[in-house]
Amino acid sequence: QAQLVESGGGSVQAGGSLRLSCVVSVDTYETNCMGWFRQAPGKEREGVASLYGGSGSTFYGDSVKGRATISQDRAKKMVYLEMNSLKPEDTGTYYCATFPRAYLRTSPCPTTEYAYISWGQGTQVTVSS
């Protein structure tokens, strides 16, 4: 079972930037999909971006495309989400998640939450106007 710990959340002004980090403690990191999700108050959880631990290939949700970059440090088993041009609607709890890609042979790694089996506790991001 993977363990994930997010960090880097906080409060930021609209138009600003933020970098979130996630430690992914799992033996199968290089054959896992990693995803970033977010959930705004009163809304369903939304997929933000995904990354495959092996090749580093990425995929982005429409709501953040062009404003977000997901990346990794494979040696440290860390995944990052950098977001710029932040908007108040980016406010929410951001979660990191993972699953073995062999469980669901899709390419790229999905941004649908049902695929992911291990989740972090989340980190809060608040964007003020």
Side-chain angles (χ1 to χ4, degrees):
Q1 185 78 358
Q3 292 188 330
L4 302 96
V5 179
E6 304 95 337
S7 61
S11 297
V12 63
Q13 295 273 357
S17 301
L18 209 61
R19 189 194 197 204
L20 305 179
S21 302
C22 176
V23 180
V24 184
S25 300
V26 66
D27 291 341
T28 55
Y29 179 93
E30 293 195 12
T31 54
N32 271 33
C33 285
M34 271 65 71
W36 280 101
F37 296 80
R38 66 185 182 185
Q39 188 166 22
K43 294 189 177 181
E44 294 185 353
R45 192 146 52 185
E46 172 191 20
V48 176
S50 67
L51 176 146
Y52 179 52
S55 66
S57 62
T58 61
F59 183 77
Y60 296 92
D62 289 339
S63 63
V64 301
K65 203 169 289 183
R67 299 190 298 121
T69 302
I70 186 171
S71 61
Q72 66 174 342
D73 183 329
R74 194 179 296 123
K76 295 181 179 178
K77 296 184 180 180
M78 291 196 68
V79 180
Y80 306 98
L81 180 70
E82 187 163 0
M83 292 189 63
N84 52 49
S85 302
L86 285 164
K87 308 173 184 179
E89 50 263 45
D90 293 318
T91 294
T93 302
Y94 282 69
Y95 300 89
C96 181
T98 190
F99 75 97
R101 191 177 183 183
Y103 287 10
L104 186 67
R105 295 187 180 275
T106 64
S107 180
C109 288
T111 52
T112 46
E113 64 171 307
Y114 79 88
Y116 290 79
I117 60 174
S118 299
W119 293 79
Q121 293 299 307
T123 185
Q124 178 67 33
V125 172
T126 302
V127 183
S128 57
S129 57

